[in-house]
Structure formats: structure tokens, C-alpha cells
Amino acid sequence: MAGGVISKEKAEPNLTPLLDIVFQLITFFMLVINFASDNYDQRINLPDAGSARPVEDDSRISEDRLVLNVDSEGRLLQGEKVMGIDEAAQSIRHQADLVKLSLRSSGVKFDPATGSLPTTIILRADKETTFGAVLGIIKACQSQGFRKFALKAMIRS
Amino acid sequence: MAHKRGGIEMEGPDVPVAPMLDMAFQLLTFFVLTYRAAPVEGQFVMNLLPPQAATAMAAAAAEPSASNDLPASLRTLPVVLRGDDQGRLAQVSIADLDVSNAPKAPAEELDRHFLDPDAPFDQTLIKVDPNLRYSDLMTIIDAFTDAFVRAKKEPKLSFDELRAGDGA
């Protein structure tokens, strides 16, 4: 009679397929995660544009770049710091000095009157800001020798 | 775990998978929580001249280029963008001709200039009302980029501030 016999066999679910799926999900999230998102200031609402080029496809952008975030009030955002146009111009001058110092140390001569710095200015301006505010930033960059600009926009689908 | 092979029962190593699964779930939770879809950003890449040169481009007859004997002032398509009190695009003038600010009208006018083989324009100076919103300026840059692509020309844009009396 088997009534009083207790089976000592444990139920052992096979966890290997579950582990496989979890590892695949981890791999997916590791590949698509974007840690370098500090340049994408969430306070900026970019304007829409249909013909803006995707960032990855544009080979004309040099590796050397300076990202400028301009908010709806026309102020320059640098991390938690919010700068008016005068302070922004000072910051841009400081960045330009660093680029020039780097060029000098690598033996490249820079003529401020005719030359242009190899750095590309990535301009992320809020769609509600005025052209006057954006032009103020562009002029501050141009006065320091920056000529290459990339105006950011959301790609309209 | 016991395996049967050829009628002989073999004892294999019993690897505990549950702790590994716990770790994997923790990793998965971390990645799911920190995942943020990257915004689909695009860009317009351009070489912008310094303010003095941009202003001088339309005003003065600059040195003729090697490829074109016309002075820069004649090769420059003048565009004026005016905004209303709210900073919205109110008026678009292309080559001193007022164009409707409806989305397709500037593109059609630009095609008329850029697709015409006899038209001398190979660069554009856009004078913009300083109060115009950046989003409205971007729609015009968008139209220009499209027009340059259709005409298979290299985009050459310059911006300047619209002053009182300009393009009046």
C-alpha cells in the first residue's frame, strides 16, 4: 500500500531556458543603453525639421566638438549652470583658448584673422528661443574663430 | 543530477542555476530602469561666416570667385524673414518678392531660383527678425536644405540680423 509513503523526489524546474532569455534581454539593453546622454539636455525642446541629417551619417562633423545648449530664454546651459550672454561669451572664449592651446601644443599655427578652429559647434537651441539670442551665441563663437556649426533639430518622421 | 546513458546511470555536476538567475534578473532590472530611448536628433551642418563678412557679402562687391565672374553681391540670394509680435513667421521675402509663409510656398519660390540654370544665385543671405522664434527659422532652413538638395547644390547659407530699414 502506498498511502503512507512520502515521495522524496523534488520538483526541479529547468531554469536554463529562462536564464538564456534573461541574458538575451540583458544583452539587448546593454547594447541600446545610452550612457553618454549628458549632452542631451532634457530641458531643451529642439525644433522639428524633416531634412536634418542623422548624426551618425554626417561625416563632415569632426571628432572635436563643443556642445552648446541654449534654453527658451536664450541662456546657455552648462550642466546645472545657467549663463547669460556675457557669461556665455566668456565661457566660449575659455573653450576657444583651450582649443588654441591644444593646437599650439600639437604644432599647428592658428591665425585669428583668417584661420578657423577645427572644432564643430553643436548648437542645441530650444524651439521657443528667439533668433536674436541664438545669433548672440553664434557671434560669440565666430569672434573666437569657430566657423563650423551644426544646428540640431528633431528629425520629423 | 542523474543522467542515463547506455543504461548506465551517471552522476553529473549539479550546478545551481537559481543564484545566477537572481543576478541576471538584478542586472536586467538595472538596465530596464536606466534605459532611456535616445532622441532621434538630426542636424544641419554649415560653415557660418563671421558677422562682418556676412554683412559685407550683400553690401559690397566682393572678389569674384574663380568659377564665376559675377560679384558675390549678385550671386547672393537675399532672403528676409519677418516675425509678428508673438515671434511667429509673418512674412518671407525671397529676392525682394513677398512669398506666402504657407509651408510649401517658400520651397516653390526657392526651386524657381535654384533650378533655373540661368539664375546666378549660388549662396544665400538670410536676414532674420531678431524676435523670430528659432522653430520658425528652422522651417525655413529646412526648406532651403531641401531646395539645395533638389538643385544638387552645396548649401551656402549666412545669417544676419534684420535691422530697421532692411529690405523695406
Side-chain angles (χ1 to χ4, degrees):
Chain A
M1 211 168 135
V5 179
I6 299 162
S7 173
K8 285 193 173 177
E9 235 177 68
K10 286 192 289 182
E12 281 187 23
N14 192 2
L15 297 178
T16 315
L18 184 60
L19 197 60
D20 286 349
I21 290 170
V22 171
F23 273 125
Q24 282 188 28
L25 282 169
I26 289 173
T27 313
F28 167 75
F29 280 108
M30 279 175 75
L31 291 178
V32 296
I33 201 163
N34 185 16
F35 282 116
S37 60
D38 46 348
N39 287 335
Y40 296 100
D41 199 309
Q42 299 297 310
R43 290 168 287 181
I44 307 292
N45 288 318
L46 292 178
D48 294 328
S51 55
R53 286 164 176 262
V55 180
E56 296 82 15
D57 296 352
D58 214 316
S59 56
R60 289 180 293 170
I61 295 264
S62 62
E63 283 299 307
D64 193 6
R65 61 185 73 186
L66 172 63
V67 180
L68 300 179
N69 291 295
V70 182
D71 74 356
S72 55
E73 304 293 319
R75 299 166 303 185
L76 187 70
L77 305 179
Q78 211 169 55
E80 291 303 309
K81 209 172 169 190
V82 179
M83 290 179 267
I85 183 65
D86 293 336
E87 210 180 340
Q90 219 166 11
S91 169
I92 290 165
R93 194 181 315 127
H94 177 66
Q95 295 287 343
D97 288 344
L98 290 177
V99 175
K100 286 168 195 169
L101 192 69
S102 159
L103 286 178
R104 212 175 301 138
S105 64
S106 55
V108 181
K109 280 192 176 179
F110 171 73
D111 178 8
T114 56
S116 74
L117 293 172
T119 305
T120 304
I121 300 291
I122 311 282
L123 193 57
R124 298 182 76 251
D126 193 284
K127 61 182 175 185
E128 293 298 318
T129 196
T130 59
F131 170 73
V134 175
L135 189 68
I137 299 286
I138 291 176
K139 280 183 176 174
C141 294
Q142 286 170 330
S143 67
Q144 297 303 318
F146 295 110
R147 298 285 183 273
K148 295 176 188 169
F149 289 84
L151 309 183
K152 287 275 189 174
M154 299 302 288
I155 299 176
R156 199 173 42 218
S157 53
Chain B
M1 193 180 282
H3 297 281
K4 246 185 174 179
R5 186 178 286 178
I8 306 162
E9 196 161 288
M10 295 170 70
E11 280 290 323
D14 202 359
V15 181
V17 189
M20 205 195 293
L21 196 62
D22 287 348
M23 283 289 294
F25 269 121
Q26 281 189 27
L27 277 171
L28 184 63
T29 312
F30 168 74
F31 283 114
V32 168
L33 292 179
T34 55
Y35 173 72
R36 195 171 50 202
V40 190
E41 287 188 11
Q43 57 199 8
F44 296 100
V45 181
M46 51 187 78
N47 282 319
L48 292 181
L49 302 170
Q52 296 87 351
T55 315
M57 195 167 71
E63 290 177 26
S65 70
S67 60
N68 196 332
D69 290 336
L70 285 171
S73 58
L74 295 179
R75 286 187 285 117
T76 304
L77 178 67
V79 177
V80 175
L81 306 179
R82 284 192 174 81
D84 59 15
D85 296 341
Q86 310 293 317
R88 293 285 170 212
L89 189 62
Q91 191 189 19
V92 182
S93 299
I94 298 175
D96 298 327
L97 184 79
D98 284 351
V99 181
S100 159
N101 58 359
K104 284 188 176 175
E108 284 166 5
E109 183 63 16
L110 290 173
D111 278 349
R112 205 171 64 77
H113 289 290
F114 291 140
L115 295 175
D116 179 4
D118 297 326
F121 305 120
D122 66 352
Q123 53 195 10
T124 307
L125 175 65
I126 308 178
K127 290 197 170 190
V128 188
D129 187 335
N131 295 319
L132 187 75
R133 288 191 196 192
Y134 187 60
S135 56
D136 288 36
L137 171 66
M138 213 38 116
T139 59
I140 296 297
I141 295 176
D142 200 15
F144 267 94
T145 308
D146 272 344
F148 277 117
V149 168
R150 282 194 295 274
K152 292 175 183 153
K153 285 183 177 176
E154 182 67 23
K156 285 184 188 170
L157 295 175
S158 300
F159 297 100
D160 201 4
E161 199 172 321
L162 183 69
R163 293 174 186 89
D166 272 344

